[in-house]
Amino acid sequence: MNTDELSIPQAASSKAWLGLSTVLALVLLVAMDGSVLYLAMPRLTSAILPTADQALWILDIYGFVVGSLLITFGNIGDRYGRLKLMMTGAVIFGLGSLGVAYSTTPGSMIGFRALMGLGGATLLPSGLAIVSALFPDPRQRAQAIGIFAATFAAGFAIGPIIGGLLLQRFDWSVVFLINVPVVLAFLLAAPVLLREVRSTTYGRIDAPSLLLSFAGILLFTYSVKSAAAEGFTPVQSIAGIAGLLALAAFLHRQTKIAFPLLDLSLFKDRIFSIAILTGLLSLVVWSAAGYLSGIYLQSVLGHEVFAAALMALPGAVVLTATCVGTSRIVERIGRKAALVGTHFLISLGAFLLLFTTTEAGVMAFVASTVIAGVGYGLSFSLVAEIAVSAVPSERAGAAGSIAETSNEIGNALGITLLGSLAALVFRLSGPGMAGTLNETLGHPGIAEATLVQAKEAFVSGLHLAVGAGGVLMLLLGVVAWLWLPRRLPQ
């Protein structure tokens, strides 16, 4: 019998697999909370009446906080202990979930969603490091990391569906209350099943870099949202300029300090750069299409939230199955073809949403999610793997952190940029009664002509947003095909 086969059952105990399950429960929550509100937004906006820009902040402040702090918390975990940081983050995540569930104003919900992001940012890098330490055997470790990545992808996919199923019977707050028992179970099981993980080689945390990156992202985001909702103003313009200057200063600083938060030298490798751009843009299209489609199905076509959740199910199943089967796909067509195919499939899925109208569009939506689901599944599985394999082994940790960050930032940027583009179209071509479709529909005694105009304006915004996303993915696919070498490193 092959000695490698003998090593597999001996390498990790049942306790290690239970530990993996404990970590995966939190990973699933973090991913789900990046998308769980897509179908819940119509119900939520009716309950707490946010403005157009507040609704966008509610959706994406979580992703921006997570993405802005992933690399920083990876460094902190190396210094003070991954398990300790993860348990602290779980407590913060749980408290933020409770706060969101009982929020009665848009401002409090935005604040508690940010607190959830603060907790979530500790969970992903620490969780991956702890999982790796549970499995000393390389083959089992690779299997466990693959399960970790597939769980994260599945969380993004099933978030809207879980939200829709819960909203069929309960109030919108339940989509956050379900986090609390999972967090409590983790806090009880983690000290028993998991062990502390530290790095003996870590660098100093550069506070100016942290502040510049976080302030730059938030100021730029505020500027984009404000311009879409209210037009250009002095405050909005100053915030946008300040944000861009802060981001430029952050990037410049990374080239001057000994321990940068973002290792820009990695982007000199074209394979790494294309992989990171793929992770970023795929989530840009994913989040914008998911958010706008959820409103479209419910507020334009008039479907109940449960029906909308069922319509999203085929795409989620295809996405998850693709994640699991990516290795077989790569064996058949090669890494380059799989990565390039990611762009074209997501682009085609986005373009199919252009066939939606105010009267019909369910078939176009389902076809879009199924075709794009294959692309998203390939992207979720390949991006981190290709990014890490493109750099020297001693820089694999930094490459993995950047890959995770690109996903989270992309998830938030999609709603900020493409969601704001759709909001701008609605503001310019809608009836002018309110900044969002749901606010407009909520006006008592609304005339039929006004109702039609509002729905047509929203669909026009949807088309422009997904069309722009589809074009971006198509262009990146062409660049990847022309620029990448025929064979990518394993």
Side-chain angles (χ1 to χ4, degrees):
M1 185 178 293
N2 191 303
T3 55
D4 285 340
E5 294 177 348
L6 285 172
S7 67
I8 293 176
Q10 296 172 353
S13 64
S14 58
K15 182 179 177 180
W17 291 105
L18 286 173
L20 172 64
S21 301
T22 302
V23 173
L24 292 182
L26 279 186
V27 170
L28 192 66
L29 282 186
V30 173
M32 282 176 53
D33 277 294
S35 60
V36 72
L37 282 180
Y38 292 164
L39 288 181
M41 280 306 290
R43 186 85 61 88
L44 187 151
T45 53
S46 298
I48 64 173
L49 301 177
T51 63
D53 57 331
Q54 285 175 330
L56 294 176
W57 273 114
I58 289 170
L59 278 163
D60 60 22
I61 186 64
Y62 174 83
F64 272 117
V65 174
V66 171
S68 299
L69 295 175
L70 272 176
I71 296 175
T72 299
F73 278 131
N75 196 307
I76 292 174
D78 282 343
R79 175 171 296 192
Y80 298 108
R82 297 282 190 174
L83 181 57
K84 185 185 299 182
L85 180 65
M86 194 173 184
M87 293 183 69
T88 302
V91 172
I92 296 172
F93 187 83
L95 292 174
S97 299
L98 279 174
V100 172
Y102 291 106
S103 290
T104 56
T105 65
S108 64
M109 173 163 281
I110 292 169
F112 282 117
R113 283 281 284 171
L115 188 64
M116 287 180 64
L118 179 64
T122 72
L123 303 180
L124 292 176
S126 294
L128 189 58
I130 290 171
V131 166
S132 298
L134 286 173
F135 297 90
D137 177 73
R139 293 175 62 182
Q140 283 197 322
R141 187 186 308 122
Q143 182 182 6
I145 291 174
I147 295 172
F148 185 100
T151 301
F152 187 69
F156 267 118
I158 68 174
I161 298 169
I162 296 297
L165 294 174
L166 290 171
L167 289 168
Q168 180 69 10
R169 292 179 173 270
F170 304 105
D171 184 72
W172 64 266
S173 61
V174 75
V175 299
F176 297 101
L177 289 175
I178 60 171
N179 295 345
V180 177
V182 177
V183 167
L184 290 175
F186 172 80
L187 293 174
L188 291 173
V192 178
L193 298 175
L194 305 175
R195 61 186 178 86
E196 189 58 275
V197 178
R198 287 185 176 87
S199 173
T200 56
T201 57
Y202 50 78
R204 179 175 61 86
I205 300 170
D206 187 59
S209 293
L210 171 59
L211 293 174
L212 284 170
S213 62
F214 194 66
I217 289 172
L218 291 183
L219 286 171
F220 178 72
T221 303
Y222 167 79
S223 177
V224 171
K225 291 177 184 299
S226 296
E230 302 170 7
F232 292 97
T233 65
V235 173
Q236 172 271 330
S237 300
I238 291 171
I241 294 170
L244 290 174
L245 289 175
L247 290 174
F250 166 76
L251 294 175
H252 177 72
R253 185 171 178 81
Q254 302 316 292
T255 65
K256 303 297 183 182
I257 58 178
F259 301 104
L261 291 183
L262 182 64
D263 189 351
L264 295 177
S265 65
L266 294 175
F267 288 92
K268 294 177 180 178
D269 187 290
R270 66 177 64 182
I271 299 174
F272 178 84
S273 297
I274 291 292
I276 296 304
L277 281 174
T278 301
L280 181 77
L281 287 184
S282 63
L283 265 296
V284 165
V285 180
W286 155 273
S287 60
Y291 162 55
L292 294 171
S293 296
I295 296 175
Y296 169 76
L297 293 173
Q298 296 174 75
S299 299
V300 176
L301 296 186
H303 293 290
E304 292 292 329
V305 66
F306 180 70
L310 291 181
M311 293 170 197
L313 186 59
V317 171
V318 168
L319 189 157
T320 305
T322 304
C323 281
V324 175
T326 292
S327 60
R328 295 181 181 178
I329 296 173
V330 170
E331 287 177 4
R332 284 181 172 271
I333 66 175
R335 274 187 165 190
K336 178 178 178 178
L339 186 64
V340 172
T342 290
H343 306 99
F344 295 144
L345 288 165
I346 294 175
S347 178
L348 176 59
F351 289 147
L352 285 174
L353 288 176
L354 298 177
F355 293 95
T356 54
T357 69
T358 57
E359 301 295 330
V362 171
M363 293 305 296
F365 169 76
V366 174
S368 168
T369 58
V370 168
I371 292 174
V374 179
Y376 292 130
L378 290 171
S379 174
F380 291 156
S381 300
L382 282 175
V383 164
E385 182 185 347
I386 290 176
V388 170
S389 64
V391 304
S393 58
E394 65 271 14
R395 307 175 82 181
S401 294
I402 293 173
E404 289 177 0
T405 301
S406 72
N407 283 339
E408 288 295 340
I409 293 293
N411 186 45
L413 274 179
I415 298 171
T416 293
L417 299 179
L418 299 183
S420 292
L421 182 61
L424 176 63
V425 172
F426 184 83
R427 182 171 68 85
L428 296 177
S429 60
M433 299 175 65
T436 66
L437 175 61
N438 289 315
E439 286 180 290
T440 303
L441 298 180
H443 276 266
I446 184 172
E448 182 65 27
T450 303
L451 182 67
V452 171
Q453 182 185 1
K455 290 184 176 182
E456 288 178 346
F458 179 85
V459 172
S460 296
L462 165 67
H463 288 171
L464 184 58
V466 298
V471 169
L472 286 174
M473 287 302 296
L474 182 62
L475 291 176
L476 183 58
V478 172
V479 170
W481 180 256
L482 296 175
W483 204 23
L484 291 177
R486 180 173 297 181
R487 294 185 61 85
L488 300 184
Q490 298 294 321

Coordinates of all heavy atoms in Angstrom, one line a residue, residues 382-452:
L382 N -10.1 29.8 -7.8 CA -8.8 29.9 -8.5 C -8.0 31.1 -8.1 O -6.7 31.1 -8.1 CB -9.0 30.0 -10.0 CG -9.3 28.7 -10.8 CD1 -9.6 29.0 -12.2 CD2 -8.1 27.8 -10.7
V383 N -8.6 32.2 -7.8 CA -7.9 33.5 -7.6 C -6.8 33.4 -6.5 O -5.6 33.7 -6.8 CB -8.9 34.6 -7.2 CG1 -8.1 35.8 -6.7 CG2 -9.7 35.0 -8.5
A384 N -7.2 32.9 -5.3 CA -6.2 32.8 -4.2 C -5.1 31.8 -4.6 O -3.9 32.1 -4.4 CB -6.8 32.5 -2.9
E385 N -5.5 30.7 -5.2 CA -4.5 29.7 -5.5 C -3.5 30.2 -6.6 O -2.3 30.0 -6.4 CB -5.3 28.5 -6.1 CG -4.4 27.3 -6.4 CD -5.2 26.1 -7.1 OE1 -6.4 26.2 -7.0 OE2 -4.5 25.3 -7.7
I386 N -4.0 30.8 -7.6 CA -3.1 31.3 -8.6 C -2.2 32.5 -8.1 O -1.0 32.6 -8.4 CB -3.9 31.8 -9.9 CG1 -4.5 30.6 -10.6 CG2 -3.1 32.6 -10.8 CD1 -5.5 30.9 -11.7
A387 N -2.8 33.4 -7.3 CA -2.1 34.5 -6.7 C -0.9 34.0 -5.9 O 0.2 34.4 -6.0 CB -3.0 35.4 -5.9
V388 N -1.2 33.0 -5.0 CA -0.2 32.4 -4.1 C 0.9 31.7 -4.9 O 2.1 31.8 -4.6 CB -0.8 31.5 -3.1 CG1 0.3 30.7 -2.3 CG2 -1.7 32.3 -2.1
S389 N 0.5 30.9 -5.9 CA 1.5 30.1 -6.7 C 2.4 31.0 -7.6 O 3.4 30.6 -8.1 CB 0.8 29.1 -7.6 OG -0.1 29.7 -8.5
A390 N 1.9 32.3 -7.8 CA 2.7 33.2 -8.7 C 3.8 33.8 -8.0 O 4.7 34.5 -8.6 CB 1.8 34.2 -9.3
V391 N 3.9 33.7 -6.7 CA 4.9 34.5 -5.9 C 5.8 33.5 -5.2 O 5.5 32.3 -5.0 CB 4.3 35.4 -4.9 CG1 3.4 36.4 -5.6 CG2 3.5 34.7 -3.8
P392 N 7.0 33.9 -4.7 CA 7.9 33.0 -3.9 C 7.2 32.5 -2.7 O 6.3 33.2 -2.1 CB 9.1 33.9 -3.6 CG 9.1 34.9 -4.6 CD 7.7 35.2 -5.0
S393 N 7.5 31.3 -2.2 CA 6.8 30.7 -1.1 C 6.9 31.5 0.2 O 5.9 31.5 1.0 CB 7.4 29.3 -0.8 OG 8.8 29.4 -0.5
E394 N 8.0 32.3 0.4 CA 8.1 33.1 1.6 C 7.1 34.3 1.6 O 6.9 35.0 2.6 CB 9.5 33.5 1.8 CG 10.0 34.5 0.8 CD 10.7 33.7 -0.4 OE1 10.5 32.5 -0.5 OE2 11.4 34.4 -1.2
R395 N 6.5 34.6 0.4 CA 5.6 35.7 0.3 C 4.2 35.2 0.1 O 3.3 36.0 -0.2 CB 6.0 36.6 -0.8 CG 7.5 37.1 -0.7 CD 7.9 37.9 -1.8 NE 7.6 39.3 -1.7 CZ 7.8 40.2 -2.7 NH1 8.5 39.8 -3.8 NH2 7.5 41.4 -2.5
A396 N 3.9 33.9 0.3 CA 2.6 33.3 0.1 C 1.6 33.9 1.0 O 0.4 34.2 0.6 CB 2.6 31.8 0.2
G397 N 1.9 34.2 2.2 CA 1.0 34.7 3.2 C 0.5 36.1 2.8 O -0.7 36.4 2.8
A398 N 1.4 37.0 2.3 CA 1.0 38.3 1.9 C 0.1 38.2 0.6 O -0.9 38.9 0.5 CB 2.3 39.1 1.6
A399 N 0.5 37.3 -0.3 CA -0.3 37.1 -1.5 C -1.8 36.6 -1.1 O -2.8 37.1 -1.7 CB 0.3 36.1 -2.4
G400 N -1.9 35.7 -0.2 CA -3.2 35.2 0.2 C -4.0 36.3 0.8 O -5.2 36.4 0.6
S401 N -3.4 37.1 1.7 CA -4.1 38.2 2.3 C -4.7 39.2 1.3 O -5.8 39.7 1.4 CB -3.2 38.9 3.3 OG -2.9 38.1 4.4
I402 N -3.8 39.5 0.3 CA -4.3 40.5 -0.8 C -5.4 39.9 -1.6 O -6.4 40.6 -1.9 CB -3.1 40.8 -1.7 CG1 -2.0 41.7 -0.9 CG2 -3.5 41.6 -2.9 CD1 -0.8 41.9 -1.6
A403 N -5.4 38.6 -1.8 CA -6.4 37.9 -2.6 C -7.7 38.0 -1.8 O -8.8 38.3 -2.4 CB -6.1 36.5 -2.9
E404 N -7.7 37.7 -0.5 CA -8.9 37.8 0.3 C -9.4 39.2 0.4 O -10.6 39.5 0.3 CB -8.6 37.3 1.8 CG -8.4 35.8 1.9 CD -8.0 35.4 3.3 OE1 -8.0 36.3 4.2 OE2 -7.8 34.2 3.5
T405 N -8.5 40.2 0.5 CA -8.9 41.6 0.6 C -9.5 42.0 -0.7 O -10.5 42.8 -0.7 CB -7.7 42.5 0.9 OG1 -7.1 42.0 2.1 CG2 -8.1 43.9 1.0
S406 N -9.0 41.6 -1.9 CA -9.6 42.0 -3.2 C -11.1 41.5 -3.3 O -11.9 42.3 -3.8 CB -8.8 41.4 -4.3 OG -9.0 40.0 -4.4
N407 N -11.4 40.4 -2.7 CA -12.8 39.9 -2.7 C -13.7 40.8 -1.9 O -14.8 41.2 -2.3 CB -12.8 38.4 -2.2 CG -12.4 37.4 -3.2 OD1 -12.4 37.7 -4.4 ND2 -12.0 36.3 -2.8
E408 N -13.2 41.1 -0.7 CA -14.1 41.9 0.2 C -14.2 43.3 -0.3 O -15.3 43.9 -0.3 CB -13.5 42.0 1.6 CG -13.6 40.6 2.4 CD -15.0 40.3 2.7 OE1 -15.9 41.2 2.6 OE2 -15.3 39.1 2.9
I409 N -13.1 43.9 -0.8 CA -13.2 45.3 -1.4 C -14.1 45.3 -2.6 O -14.9 46.2 -2.9 CB -11.8 45.8 -1.7 CG1 -11.0 46.1 -0.4 CG2 -11.9 47.1 -2.5 CD1 -11.6 47.2 0.5
G410 N -13.9 44.3 -3.5 CA -14.8 44.2 -4.7 C -16.3 44.0 -4.3 O -17.1 44.7 -5.0
N411 N -16.6 43.3 -3.3 CA -18.0 43.1 -2.9 C -18.6 44.4 -2.5 O -19.7 44.7 -2.8 CB -18.0 42.1 -1.7 CG -19.4 41.8 -1.3 OD1 -20.3 41.5 -2.1 ND2 -19.7 41.9 0.0
A412 N -17.8 45.3 -1.8 CA -18.3 46.6 -1.3 C -18.3 47.6 -2.5 O -19.2 48.4 -2.6 CB -17.5 47.1 -0.2
L413 N -17.2 47.5 -3.3 CA -17.1 48.5 -4.4 C -18.2 48.3 -5.5 O -18.7 49.3 -6.1 CB -15.8 48.3 -5.1 CG -14.6 49.1 -4.6 CD1 -13.3 48.8 -5.4 CD2 -14.9 50.6 -4.6
G414 N -18.7 47.1 -5.6 CA -19.8 46.9 -6.6 C -21.0 47.7 -6.2 O -21.6 48.3 -7.1
I415 N -21.4 47.7 -5.0 CA -22.6 48.4 -4.5 C -22.3 49.9 -4.5 O -23.1 50.7 -4.9 CB -23.0 47.9 -3.2 CG1 -23.4 46.4 -3.2 CG2 -24.2 48.7 -2.6 CD1 -23.7 45.8 -1.9
T416 N -21.0 50.3 -4.2 CA -20.7 51.7 -4.2 C -20.7 52.3 -5.6 O -21.4 53.3 -5.8 CB -19.3 51.9 -3.5 OG1 -19.4 51.6 -2.1 CG2 -18.9 53.4 -3.7
L417 N -20.0 51.7 -6.5 CA -19.8 52.2 -7.8 C -21.0 51.9 -8.7 O -21.6 52.8 -9.2 CB -18.5 51.7 -8.4 CG -17.2 52.1 -7.7 CD1 -16.0 51.5 -8.4 CD2 -17.1 53.6 -7.5
L418 N -21.3 50.6 -8.9 CA -22.4 50.3 -9.8 C -23.7 50.5 -9.2 O -24.7 51.0 -9.9 CB -22.2 48.8 -10.3 CG -21.0 48.4 -11.0 CD1 -21.0 47.0 -11.4 CD2 -20.7 49.4 -12.2
G419 N -23.8 50.3 -7.9 CA -25.1 50.7 -7.2 C -25.4 52.1 -7.2 O -26.5 52.6 -7.4
S420 N -24.3 52.9 -7.1 CA -24.5 54.4 -7.2 C -24.8 54.8 -8.6 O -25.5 55.8 -8.8 CB -23.2 55.1 -6.7 OG -23.0 54.9 -5.3
L421 N -24.2 54.1 -9.6 CA -24.6 54.4 -11.0 C -26.1 54.2 -11.2 O -26.7 55.0 -11.9 CB -23.7 53.6 -11.9 CG -23.9 53.8 -13.4 CD1 -23.5 55.2 -13.8 CD2 -23.0 52.8 -14.2
A422 N -26.6 53.1 -10.7 CA -28.0 52.8 -10.9 C -28.9 53.9 -10.1 O -29.9 54.3 -10.6 CB -28.3 51.4 -10.3
A423 N -28.4 54.3 -8.9 CA -29.1 55.3 -8.2 C -29.1 56.6 -8.9 O -30.1 57.4 -8.9 CB -28.5 55.4 -6.8
L424 N -28.0 57.0 -9.6 CA -27.9 58.2 -10.3 C -28.9 58.2 -11.5 O -29.6 59.2 -11.7 CB -26.5 58.4 -10.9 CG -26.3 59.6 -11.8 CD1 -26.5 60.9 -11.0 CD2 -24.9 59.6 -12.3
V425 N -29.0 57.1 -12.2 CA -30.0 57.0 -13.3 C -31.4 57.1 -12.8 O -32.2 57.8 -13.4 CB -29.8 55.6 -14.0 CG1 -31.0 55.4 -15.0 CG2 -28.5 55.5 -14.7
F426 N -31.7 56.5 -11.6 CA -33.0 56.6 -11.0 C -33.3 58.1 -10.7 O -34.4 58.6 -10.9 CB -33.2 55.7 -9.8 CG -34.6 55.7 -9.2 CD1 -35.6 54.9 -9.8 CD2 -34.9 56.5 -8.2 CE1 -36.8 54.9 -9.3 CE2 -36.2 56.5 -7.7 CZ -37.2 55.7 -8.2
R427 N -32.4 58.8 -10.1 CA -32.6 60.2 -9.7 C -32.8 61.1 -10.9 O -33.6 62.0 -10.8 CB -31.3 60.7 -8.9 CG -31.5 62.1 -8.4 CD -30.3 62.5 -7.5 NE -29.0 62.5 -8.1 CZ -28.6 63.6 -8.8 NH1 -29.4 64.7 -8.8 NH2 -27.4 63.6 -9.3
L428 N -32.1 60.8 -12.0 CA -32.2 61.7 -13.2 C -33.5 61.3 -14.0 O -34.1 62.3 -14.6 CB -31.0 61.5 -14.0 CG -29.7 62.0 -13.4 CD1 -28.5 61.7 -14.3 CD2 -29.7 63.5 -13.0
S429 N -33.9 60.1 -14.1 CA -35.0 59.7 -15.0 C -36.2 59.3 -14.3 O -37.3 59.0 -14.9 CB -34.5 58.6 -16.0 OG -34.1 57.5 -15.2
G430 N -36.2 59.2 -12.9 CA -37.4 58.8 -12.2 C -38.3 59.9 -12.0 O -38.1 61.1 -12.4
P431 N -39.4 59.7 -11.2 CA -40.4 60.7 -11.0 C -40.0 61.8 -10.1 O -40.7 62.8 -10.0 CB -41.6 59.9 -10.5 CG -41.0 58.7 -9.9 CD -39.9 58.4 -10.7
G432 N -38.9 61.7 -9.4 CA -38.4 62.7 -8.5 C -39.1 62.8 -7.2 O -38.9 63.8 -6.5
M433 N -39.9 61.8 -6.8 CA -40.6 61.9 -5.5 C -39.7 61.4 -4.4 O -39.9 61.9 -3.2 CB -41.8 60.9 -5.6 CG -42.8 61.3 -6.7 SD -44.2 60.1 -6.8 CE -44.9 60.3 -5.2
A434 N -38.7 60.6 -4.6 CA -37.8 60.1 -3.6 C -36.6 59.6 -4.3 O -36.5 59.4 -5.5 CB -38.5 59.0 -2.8
G435 N -35.5 59.3 -3.5 CA -34.3 58.8 -4.0 C -34.2 57.4 -4.4 O -33.2 57.0 -5.1
T436 N -35.1 56.5 -3.9 CA -35.1 55.1 -4.2 C -36.4 54.6 -4.7 O -37.5 55.3 -4.5 CB -34.7 54.3 -3.0 OG1 -35.8 54.4 -2.0 CG2 -33.4 54.8 -2.3
L437 N -36.4 53.5 -5.4 CA -37.7 52.9 -5.9 C -38.6 52.6 -4.7 O -39.8 52.9 -4.8 CB -37.4 51.7 -6.7 CG -38.6 50.9 -7.2 CD1 -39.4 51.8 -8.1 CD2 -38.1 49.6 -7.9
N438 N -38.1 52.0 -3.7 CA -39.0 51.5 -2.6 C -39.6 52.7 -1.9 O -40.8 52.7 -1.5 CB -38.2 50.7 -1.6 CG -37.9 49.3 -2.2 OD1 -38.8 48.7 -2.8 ND2 -36.7 48.9 -2.1
E439 N -38.9 53.8 -1.7 CA -39.4 55.0 -1.1 C -40.5 55.6 -2.0 O -41.6 56.0 -1.5 CB -38.3 56.1 -0.9 CG -37.4 55.8 0.2 CD -36.3 57.0 0.3 OE1 -35.5 57.0 -0.6 OE2 -36.4 57.7 1.2
T440 N -40.3 55.6 -3.3 CA -41.3 56.1 -4.3 C -42.6 55.2 -4.2 O -43.7 55.8 -4.2 CB -40.7 56.1 -5.7 OG1 -39.5 56.9 -5.7 CG2 -41.7 56.7 -6.7
L441 N -42.4 53.9 -4.2 CA -43.6 53.0 -4.2 C -44.4 53.2 -2.9 O -45.6 52.8 -2.8 CB -43.1 51.6 -4.4 CG -42.4 51.2 -5.7 CD1 -42.1 49.8 -5.8 CD2 -43.3 51.6 -6.9
G442 N -43.7 53.6 -1.8 CA -44.3 53.8 -0.5 C -45.2 55.0 -0.4 O -46.0 55.1 0.6
H443 N -45.2 55.9 -1.4 CA -46.0 57.1 -1.3 C -47.5 56.7 -1.5 O -47.9 56.0 -2.4 CB -45.6 58.1 -2.4 CG -44.5 59.0 -2.1 ND1 -44.7 60.2 -1.5 CD2 -43.2 58.8 -2.2 CE1 -43.5 60.8 -1.3 NE2 -42.5 59.9 -1.7
P444 N -48.3 57.2 -0.6 CA -49.8 56.8 -0.7 C -50.4 57.5 -1.9 O -50.1 58.6 -2.2 CB -50.4 57.4 0.7 CG -49.4 58.5 1.1 CD -48.0 58.0 0.6
G445 N -51.3 56.8 -2.5 CA -52.0 57.3 -3.7 C -51.2 57.6 -4.9 O -51.5 58.5 -5.7
I446 N -50.1 56.9 -5.1 CA -49.2 57.1 -6.2 C -50.0 56.8 -7.5 O -50.6 55.8 -7.6 CB -47.9 56.3 -6.1 CG1 -47.0 56.6 -7.2 CG2 -48.2 54.8 -6.0 CD1 -45.6 56.0 -7.1
A447 N -49.8 57.7 -8.5 CA -50.5 57.5 -9.8 C -49.9 56.4 -10.6 O -48.7 56.1 -10.4 CB -50.4 58.8 -10.6
E448 N -50.7 55.7 -11.4 CA -50.2 54.6 -12.2 C -49.1 55.0 -13.1 O -48.1 54.3 -13.3 CB -51.4 54.0 -13.0 CG -51.0 52.8 -13.9 CD -50.6 51.6 -13.0 OE1 -51.1 51.5 -11.9 OE2 -49.8 50.8 -13.5
A449 N -49.2 56.2 -13.7 CA -48.1 56.7 -14.6 C -46.8 56.9 -13.9 O -45.7 56.6 -14.4 CB -48.6 58.0 -15.3
T450 N -46.9 57.4 -12.7 CA -45.7 57.6 -11.8 C -45.1 56.3 -11.5 O -43.9 56.2 -11.4 CB -46.1 58.4 -10.6 OG1 -46.7 59.6 -11.0 CG2 -44.9 58.7 -9.7
L451 N -45.9 55.3 -11.1 CA -45.5 54.0 -10.8 C -44.7 53.4 -12.0 O -43.6 52.8 -11.8 CB -46.7 53.1 -10.4 CG -46.4 51.7 -10.0 CD1 -45.6 51.6 -8.7 CD2 -47.7 50.9 -9.9
V452 N -45.2 53.5 -13.1 CA -44.6 52.9 -14.3 C -43.2 53.7 -14.6 O -42.2 53.0 -14.9 CB -45.5 53.1 -15.6 CG1 -44.7 52.7 -16.8 CG2 -46.7 52.2 -15.4

